[in-house]
Amino acid sequence: MLDVIRAAGTISRVGLVKATGFTGATISTVVRRLIDDGLVLESGRAESTGGKRRVLLQLNQSSRFAVGVHLDHAGITYVLTNLGGSVVARMSRAGVGTDDPAVIMERMATEVDALIDGAGVDRSRILGLGLVAPGPMNQISGMRVSPPTMRHWEDYPLASALETATHLPVVLDNDATAAALGEHWSGDVGGTSTFAAIYMGTGIGAGLVVNGITYRGASGNAGEIGHICLDVNGPACWCGARGCTEMLAGPGAVVSAARADAALARAAGLAESPERPRWLADFAAITRAALRGDARAKQLLENSARHLAIAARTLANVMDLEQLVLTGPSLAIAGSIYLPVVRDELDRAFFSRATHSITVRLSRSAATAPAIGAAALVLQSELVPLREGLRLPDNLGDAEPTGQPTSR
Amino acid sequence: MLDVIRAAGTISRVGLVKATGFTGATISTVVRRLIDDGLVLESGRAESTGGKRRVLLQLNQSSRFAVGVHLDHAGITYVLTNLGGSVVARMSRAGVGTDDPAVIMERMATEVDALIDGAGVDRSRILGLGLVAPGPMNQISGMRVSPPTMRHWEDYPLASALETATHLPVVLDNDATAAALGEHWSGDVGGTSTFAAIYMGTGIGAGLVVNGITYRGASGNAGEIGHICLDVNGPACWCGARGCTEMLAGPGAVVSAARADAALARAAGLAESPERPRWLADFAAITRAALRGDARAKQLLENSARHLAIAARTLANVMDLEQLVLTGPSLAIAGSIYLPVVRDELDRAFFSRATHSITVRLSRSAATAPAIGAAALVLQSELVPLREGLRLPDNLGDAEPTGQPTSR
DNA sequence: CTTTGTTAATTCGGCGGCTTAACAATCACA
DNA sequence: TGTGATTGTTAAGCCGCCGAATTAACAAAG
């Protein structure tokens, strides 16, 4: 319900009737309650359609808030969003590094406090905290399989620890999935039923949102397009396969190819074999060189884009997507180079293109997308009734009675 | 609810309480009504666990039936299944060919009558008819995009026409999706939440079932693994891309490669450039040659299997699958050759293999899987409440906020 | 055979969500 | 200034589901 109002931006009660299928009576009482709770505001009138003018409703954006935290090796990003998913306050702090989880927990609690206090938001209006991190997350406890750099976090009871530290309800998820959800809430995805966010950071992943809820797969690993084969004869990957997207299109591949080219490395200003690889800075430098017109840099990036585009098409074909968003740190930098290539690939060879188009766009907040998505997780869990589990049909006995009267 | 009973085979009321999360009270009344309607039977007692022995429940398999029809160029397959998805009667008739849709409709109506009468089933006990065909189906009307061989069916109002012809409720779907659903109902998929059926006929596709309901994507084209890229430098495909699975692993590719090899063509007994290509017969002949030990035939098929396996891994990674079933006419023939290759590929390189395993098996009824699935569509639509997400219609009537006049 | 404790299943009162039905409010237009 | 159309509210009732109490069936101990 709230989700419908949010997705529509502004909508009347009659509009809600059509959108939800509920009766006018139901809508009336529900909306009444939402207004009483301060979640929804009446915000004007629509033009008459022959009778009484419709009263337009919209979310009271600043009635409730959610905290989103993106936990990563390189940095922790905090955002405070309102009900609409718009960022009210944002903060970036040092990453996890090799610190002990318990230490980080304490630090996060104080930093979250700082975020909330800095924005001047009443704590009672905060619905909860969403925490996302790389790798699949166990919904209840914490990380199942963590990337090498965060190995010591494995099986740490993230949710419960953070709940006691911050006194806020905590929900967990994978960062790519969160990024997709964030786009669904903050971006103008509208009523799109199936879409994905391709997230390119160090690795390449994708988050999937189907009918407004995230698709996680059996173990939270869904959307793993970083390790699908684009070339049977391609280079071997650490995952056990060959020709994976990550090997052919990943920022790591781009950076190491640039390093191998002495002239390019010099032109782009890459540090020569630094002790600590700063791939993101290097990737940004290569992008700048390409935008300046450096042919070799441009070729490198377009090669990467071409491969990413093919992975995107695979994802779009398998999931039969309507919309695709490019996001993540790497695409925040080089998105303008990747976007046309991906668009072209899908225009040319998306399997269902005859039936329906697929729109591709860049995220407007690629760098903070996962954190925003983390907050969106909270918004969703609080506002969208999750119809999990099996429920009873409405008409169990009405299936073609064969003579016996259905006793009521 | 009925789906839980079906999936469990036999289950007690207490078992249902645990499985569904409902209260004992609810279960009691619902089960009572199901028994009154004849859908469920009490079938014995379980061992005591310290107190009163549990009464075991199971579906009354023969209380209701469903008709499943697989419409294809080459042949029409009819099945009549009971509530459990078991085939009660089966029939195969000539394919669609170039006949006019209206003619086929009439023929189907009489053939469905023959099927029902032959099995001696009361018409009032038939829940409905499921019709599946290649290509994406418009849920309401009929085919959207049809394969070249069935071009004259495009936009024909299949559902309504067949409803008036047979006087049965009709549901439509794509055949690969149906095959997956058929496996979910008739096979022992158990409580698996995410699985796919790879369907290899002339082309290659996959049907997806997530949490017991089919995933169709935006336009019913989901699972299109026949046209994902396995080799960026591969041969061009009619779909507009390069190196598609269908080009590298499809039966058509296998057969034409075999024809190109004169010695193999002779050994396998392929007709030399027949006027009408009989790819299925040829594919079967090549398979027999391989099983006899013909090295060249074996190599051809294993090459195909290797590529199909990579496509399967892509699908498994993207959807994060728990189970995979190989089905369809081609795999009904050569499944024993493909199965180990697919298993090996997933064991080696399935991305989530550390978190959870993925089981791969052959369908037990590969040839009739789509027809069984068509019947399962009916069973599901009647027995499982489909909770669709909230949807926004194209035009809700509200557009501009606050005062601005809405132009219509 | 009786008593006791445990588990299974049903019944009954009640709550909440949703619907139908009737009604009040607003607006365009004749 | 009605009049019909459209929007929105209120009241009454249905239905699914839950909680608590009750009945039924069984094992083990005496």
Side-chain angles (χ1 to χ4, degrees):
Chain A
M1 168 60 95
L2 274 168
D3 195 43
V4 177
I5 300 177
R6 182 200 55 73
T10 72
I11 189 170
S12 71
R13 290 177 176 78
V14 191
L16 286 174
V17 169
K18 286 182 197 152
T20 63
F22 286 124
T23 316
T26 307
I27 297 293
S28 182
T29 57
V30 169
V31 167
R32 153 75 59 103
R33 209 172 56 205
L34 293 177
I35 291 178
D36 285 348
D37 288 352
L39 292 167
V40 167
L41 293 177
E42 297 191 335
S43 61
R45 310 255 169 130
E47 187 75 355
S48 167
T49 59
K52 178 176 171 177
R53 291 168 66 193
R54 303 177 175 180
V55 177
L56 293 177
L57 306 168
Q58 63 178 37
L59 280 191
N60 183 0
Q61 305 272 13
S62 53
S63 62
R64 304 291 150 87
F65 300 87
V67 178
V69 181
H70 182 199
L71 189 68
D72 202 355
H73 182 71
I76 306 182
T77 309
Y78 301 85
V79 297
L80 183 67
T81 76
N82 61 21
L83 260 195
S86 307
V87 176
V88 174
R90 128 179 32 207
M91 219 168 82
S92 282
R93 291 293 180 271
V96 168
T98 55
D99 285 356
D100 197 62
V103 176
I104 299 287
M105 286 296 116
E106 280 312 309
R107 201 185 94 200
M108 285 175 65
T110 64
E111 286 171 353
V112 165
D113 279 341
L115 180 81
I116 296 172
D117 295 342
V121 167
D122 192 301
R123 268 191 92 92
S124 66
R125 299 204 151 187
I126 295 183
L127 291 169
L129 186 152
L131 178 66
V132 303
M137 299 280 268
N138 186 327
Q139 215 70 10
I140 339 164
S141 55
M143 300 185 200
R144 262 255 161 72
V145 178
S146 42
T149 51
M150 293 180 68
R151 191 66 72 195
H152 56 298
W153 283 77
E154 204 151 318
D155 287 329
Y156 182 79
L158 265 179
S160 53
L162 198 56
E163 258 170 18
T164 56
T166 62
H167 304 291
L168 288 172
V170 171
V171 290
L172 300 178
D173 216 323
N174 156 329
D175 55 358
T177 301
L181 192 64
E183 293 295 335
H184 182 244
W185 275 74
S186 68
D188 39 15
V189 185
T192 307
S193 63
T194 56
F195 90 104
I198 292 188
Y199 186 87
M200 188 155 100
T202 325
I204 297 176
L208 306 169
V209 175
V210 176
N211 287 325
I213 62 172
T214 57
Y215 176 78
R216 296 187 173 84
S219 63
N221 266 314
E224 186 47 77
I225 60 167
H227 298 278
I228 61 178
C229 176
L230 303 185
D231 185 352
V232 282
N233 304 312
C237 176
W238 59 265
C239 80
R242 292 194 153 274
C244 290
T245 311
E246 204 164 296
M247 296 297 290
L248 297 170
V254 173
V255 169
S256 51
R259 279 187 192 288
D261 182 334
L264 172 59
R266 212 174 317 115
L270 305 186
E272 302 176 23
S273 59
E275 65 295 337
R276 200 160 63 105
R278 308 189 331 160
W279 66 268
L280 190 59
D282 283 356
F283 185 78
I286 297 165
T287 304
R288 279 195 303 273
L291 293 175
R292 269 200 311 269
D294 185 306
R296 177 71 182 131
K298 205 168 167 186
Q299 195 201 325
L300 265 183
L301 287 173
E302 288 197 337
N303 181 55
S304 161
R306 183 66 57 195
H307 284 97
L308 183 72
I310 293 174
R313 178 167 59 80
T314 294
L315 181 67
N317 280 350
V318 168
M319 301 292 299
D320 195 9
L321 298 175
E322 284 177 310
Q323 190 162 148
L324 202 51
V325 177
L326 303 183
T327 187
S330 302
L331 289 170
I333 296 167
S336 62
I337 297 174
Y338 283 74
L339 179 64
V341 181
V342 173
R343 276 205 176 127
D344 174 65
E345 176 74 23
L346 290 170
D347 285 345
R348 258 192 334 100
F350 173 50
F351 191 76
S352 306
R353 64 189 182 278
T355 315
H356 64 100
S357 66
I358 174 168
T359 61
V360 187
R361 64 175 178 82
L362 288 181
S363 168
R364 256 178 262 96
S365 51
T368 50
I372 296 175
L377 274 173
V378 175
L379 298 177
Q380 186 168 62
S381 70
E382 290 287 324
L383 305 182
V384 180
L386 36 145
R387 339 187 149 240
E388 279 182 301
L390 296 166
R391 299 235 179 144
L392 272 184
D394 297 330
N395 53 346
L396 262 182
D398 306 340
E400 298 288 315
T402 63
Q404 306 104 327
T406 33
S407 60
R408 272 282 157 102
Chain B
M1 168 60 93
L2 275 167
D3 197 42
V4 177
I5 300 178
R6 183 200 55 72
T10 72
I11 191 172
S12 70
R13 288 176 176 77
V14 218
L16 286 174
V17 169
K18 284 179 198 153
T20 62
F22 285 121
T23 316
T26 307
I27 297 291
S28 180
T29 57
V30 169
V31 167
R32 151 78 61 105
R33 212 166 59 200
L34 293 177
I35 292 177
D36 285 349
D37 288 353
L39 291 168
V40 167
L41 292 176
E42 297 191 334
S43 61
R45 308 293 206 67
E47 277 300 293
S48 169
T49 60
K52 178 175 171 178
R53 293 165 64 192
R54 303 178 175 182
V55 178
L56 292 178
L57 306 168
Q58 61 178 38
L59 281 191
N60 183 0
Q61 304 273 14
S62 52
S63 61
R64 304 290 150 86
F65 299 87
V67 177
V69 182
H70 182 200
L71 189 68
D72 201 354
H73 182 72
I76 306 181
T77 311
Y78 300 85
V79 297
L80 183 68
T81 77
N82 61 21
L83 260 196
S86 308
V87 175
V88 174
R90 128 178 32 207
M91 221 167 80
S92 282
R93 292 291 181 273
V96 167
T98 56
D99 286 356
D100 196 62
V103 176
I104 299 288
M105 285 296 116
E106 280 313 307
R107 202 185 94 200
M108 284 174 65
T110 63
E111 286 171 354
V112 165
D113 279 341
L115 179 82
I116 295 171
D117 295 343
V121 167
D122 192 301
R123 267 189 92 90
S124 67
R125 299 207 150 186
I126 295 184
L127 291 170
L129 185 150
L131 178 67
V132 303
M137 299 282 267
N138 186 326
Q139 214 69 11
I140 338 164
S141 54
M143 299 185 201
R144 262 255 162 74
V145 178
S146 42
T149 51
M150 292 180 69
R151 190 67 70 195
H152 57 298
W153 284 75
E154 204 152 317
D155 286 329
Y156 182 79
L158 265 178
S160 54
L162 199 55
E163 257 170 16
T164 56
T166 62
H167 305 291
L168 287 172
V170 170
V171 289
L172 300 178
D173 216 322
N174 157 328
D175 55 358
T177 301
L181 192 63
E183 294 295 336
H184 183 244
W185 274 73
S186 66
D188 39 14
V189 185
T192 306
S193 63
T194 57
F195 89 105
I198 292 187
Y199 186 85
M200 189 156 99
T202 324
I204 296 175
L208 306 169
V209 176
V210 176
N211 288 325
I213 63 171
T214 58
Y215 176 79
R216 296 187 173 85
S219 63
N221 265 314
E224 186 47 77
I225 60 168
H227 298 278
I228 61 178
C229 177
L230 303 185
D231 185 353
V232 281
N233 305 312
C237 176
W238 58 266
C239 80
R242 293 194 152 275
C244 291
T245 311
E246 204 165 297
M247 297 296 290
L248 297 171
V254 173
V255 169
S256 51
R259 279 185 192 290
D261 182 333
L264 172 58
R266 212 175 316 113
L270 305 186
E272 300 178 25
S273 59
E275 65 294 335
R276 200 160 65 105
R278 306 189 331 159
W279 65 267
L280 190 58
D282 283 356
F283 185 78
I286 298 166
T287 304
R288 280 194 303 274
L291 293 175
R292 269 199 311 268
D294 184 308
R296 177 75 181 127
K298 205 169 167 184
Q299 194 202 325
L300 264 184
L301 286 173
E302 287 198 336
N303 180 55
S304 161
R306 183 63 58 192
H307 285 97
L308 183 73
I310 293 174
R313 177 166 59 80
T314 294
L315 180 67
N317 279 350
V318 168
M319 301 292 299
D320 195 9
L321 298 174
E322 284 177 312
Q323 191 162 144
L324 202 51
V325 177
L326 304 181
T327 186
S330 301
L331 289 170
I333 295 167
S336 61
I337 295 174
Y338 282 74
L339 180 62
V341 181
V342 174
R343 275 203 178 131
D344 173 65
E345 176 73 23
L346 289 171
D347 284 346
R348 256 192 335 102
F350 173 48
F351 190 76
S352 306
R353 62 189 184 281
T355 315
H356 64 100
S357 65
I358 173 169
T359 61
V360 187
R361 65 175 178 81
L362 289 181
S363 167
R364 256 179 260 93
S365 51
T368 51
I372 296 174
L377 273 174
V378 175
L379 299 178
Q380 186 168 59
S381 70
E382 291 287 323
L383 306 182
V384 180
L386 38 145
R387 307 238 167 217
E388 291 181 282
L390 299 173
R391 294 174 53 184
L392 277 175
D394 296 332
N395 188 356
L396 296 176
D398 311 311
E400 304 297 310
T402 59
Q404 301 295 341
T406 20
S407 59
R408 274 222 147 191

